[in-house]
Amino acid sequence: MKKKIVVISGANLFGGGTLSILKDCLHYANENLCNEYEVYALIHNAKDFVGYANIKFLEFREVRKSYFNRLYYEYWYYKRLSTELQPYLWLSMNDMSSNVYAERRAVYCHNPTPFKKLVLSDIWNQTQVFFFTLFYKFLYRINIRKNNYVIVQQNWLRIAFSKMFKLDLQKIIVSPPKVISKIELSEANKVGRITKTFFFPTYPRPFKNIAVIGEAVKILNAEGFNDFSVLITVDGSENQYAATIVKNYDHLAQMKFLGLISREEVFNLYQDVDYLIFPSTLETWGLPITEFKLFNKPILLSDLEYAHETLGDYHAAAFFDPENPKSLVYLMSEILKGKYEFESHKSIPIKGPLANNWKELFTILLE
């Protein structure tokens, strides 16, 4: 009997948490779906995907060269491909609801940009972000109601999608990401190190709010706090936002700009540092929060709805106002003085449909 076909489309994903989630999805599919289904993965570069022997990869190098290419593939080329493959399930992992033929269709929505509250000053201060927010609202809207399911990572997003796009809440699955890691950690080297180290792994985008850390470090320096380090995974070469951040804060001795690093290197730094700082003002999840919890170390994070939902049950948390550097300064200064006592945090109940892992998610999608 011929196997049904599952297509997992992710050719637009190239880095950060979205690529990690795609790889985790493919890891599950490779290990658990391929006996019953023929699984195809649409990806940008095959060299980024090693160890998925049971999956058939289709490489699309042209997709990310321009938004015109992205629209062409999602709304024209993939339609032709779907007529050839005749998939049972087409799962788009990159926000856009592909124009395809399939018995079942689903879209995984990573990007929270459409739900950013725009103000008039954004036109001048964050021109690209302003128009990108409007553009992404348009992209999300195309074909979204043709999906059997829309997948989001948090309950606040489920409610936001339902309101913005008039979707039935029962057609929106909340699927919190889980960390699947076969990474072998190197032995941490903390011998003789007294300096407190804070870490923010990120890809540079304005809503990542790196500036609040830089401003906090400035104030801490002025108050006489110098014996600490903040590691950030940008170096200024990534984009204009990163260049501006490095230009504004590279003179601060405590700010260490590492550049983009591999996931393995990120996990090794999780093991070595003392604290995670997560100042982002907008997230669908905030994967480093989940990853860092594996190491049972304190986390400083934005006092926003997404952060509370992502953190869930945890024993050592501190929240700060992401728009106010002095709020972060207070936490860091108390930590550096050895006076701060981190608090425990409780998870927020979520109603179904809920998928707590890839098995539960694919059970819903394929039923």
Side-chain angles (χ1 to χ4, degrees), residues 85-189:
L85 295 178
Q86 297 184 331
Y88 175 68
L89 169 66
W90 186 289
L91 171 58
S92 175
M93 292 293 293
N94 41 220
D95 297 324
M96 298 172 69
S97 300
S98 306
N99 187 29
V100 295
Y101 296 111
E103 289 188 47
R104 302 182 70 82
R105 294 163 61 175
V107 59
Y108 193 118
C109 297
H110 301 268
N111 200 315
T113 301
F115 307 104
K116 179 182 182 341
K117 293 181 180 179
L118 293 174
V119 294
L120 194 60
S121 61
D122 286 338
I123 298 177
W124 293 276
N125 298 330
Q126 298 185 49
T127 304
Q128 185 176 359
V129 174
F130 181 86
F131 287 105
F132 186 73
T133 299
L134 297 178
F135 180 56
Y136 234 84
K137 284 183 182 179
F138 168 74
L139 286 184
Y140 267 147
R141 193 176 299 277
I142 299 173
N143 293 334
I144 195 168
R145 295 175 64 85
K146 293 183 179 179
N147 292 290
N148 296 86
Y149 289 103
V150 173
I151 305 158
V152 298
Q153 295 176 351
Q154 294 197 320
N155 194 54
W156 78 266
L157 273 172
R158 186 218 303 260
I159 296 169
F161 267 87
S162 178
K163 288 181 178 178
M164 182 174 285
F165 303 115
K166 304 295 188 294
L167 298 173
D168 182 348
L169 285 170
Q170 292 302 307
K171 295 295 184 181
I172 307 175
I173 304 169
V174 176
S175 182
K178 302 295 182 184
V179 178
I180 301 174
S181 176
K182 292 185 176 181
I183 295 168
E184 294 184 7
L185 300 172
S186 64
E187 195 167 330
N189 180 19

Side-chain angles (χ1 to χ4, degrees), residues 272-291:
D272 192 44
V273 303
D274 300 293
Y275 309 95
L276 179 76
I277 301 181
F278 205 82
S280 183
T281 58
L282 188 68
E283 292 287 343
T284 49
W285 186 255
L287 194 58
I289 298 171
T290 302
E291 293 173 339

Side-chain angles (χ1 to χ4, degrees), residues 190-257:
K190 287 192 175 184
V191 179
R193 179 164 69 76
I194 300 174
T195 301
K196 296 292 185 183
T197 305
F198 302 83
F199 183 36
F200 181 32
T202 184
Y203 187 84
R205 296 185 177 94
F207 60 81
K208 295 297 184 179
N209 198 28
I210 300 172
V212 75
I213 299 177
E215 293 302 315
V217 171
K218 277 185 182 180
I219 297 171
L220 287 166
N221 282 180
E223 294 181 355
F225 294 97
N226 299 293
D227 193 18
F228 67 96
S229 296
V230 180
L231 311 182
I232 301 177
T233 57
V234 307
D235 63 12
S237 65
E238 298 86 359
N239 54 34
Q240 185 56 50
Y241 171 70
T244 300
I245 289 294
V246 172
K247 179 182 177 181
N248 290 344
Y249 302 110
D250 194 37
H251 67 282
L252 300 171
Q254 293 77 21
M255 298 285 283
K256 311 294 184 183
F257 293 105

Side-chain angles (χ1 to χ4, degrees), residues 244-344:
T244 300
I245 289 294
V246 172
K247 179 182 177 181
N248 290 344
Y249 302 110
D250 194 37
H251 67 282
L252 300 171
Q254 293 77 21
M255 298 285 283
K256 311 294 184 183
F257 293 105
L258 308 179
L260 299 179
I261 60 178
S262 69
R263 197 179 186 197
E264 289 79 2
E265 291 172 301
V266 168
F267 270 74
N268 281 321
L269 282 172
Y270 286 153
Q271 184 174 248
D272 192 44
V273 303
D274 300 293
Y275 309 95
L276 179 76
I277 301 181
F278 205 82
S280 183
T281 58
L282 188 68
E283 292 287 343
T284 49
W285 186 255
L287 194 58
I289 298 171
T290 302
E291 293 173 339
F292 199 71
K293 285 175 63 177
L294 298 174
F295 296 82
N296 295 308
K297 297 178 183 181
I299 303 175
L300 290 69
L301 61 173
S302 294
D303 191 8
L304 295 173
E305 192 172 12
Y306 85 82
H308 285 275
E309 195 170 333
T310 299
L311 185 64
D313 293 322
Y314 199 59
H315 68 283
F319 292 89
F320 62 92
D321 180 354
E323 305 292 345
N324 183 3
K326 291 183 179 180
S327 178
L328 179 57
V329 167
Y330 169 74
L331 295 180
M332 294 178 71
S333 62
E334 291 297 293
I335 289 168
L336 294 172
K337 288 186 288 188
K339 294 183 177 181
Y340 193 79
E341 294 185 7
F342 287 87
E343 298 180 355
S344 61

Side-chain angles (χ1 to χ4, degrees), residues 71-88:
L71 296 172
Y72 166 74
Y73 278 95
E74 293 288 351
Y75 300 134
W76 283 276
Y77 183 83
Y78 289 165
K79 184 176 184 179
R80 187 174 69 190
L81 180 63
S82 69
T83 60
E84 296 174 5
L85 295 178
Q86 297 184 331
Y88 175 68

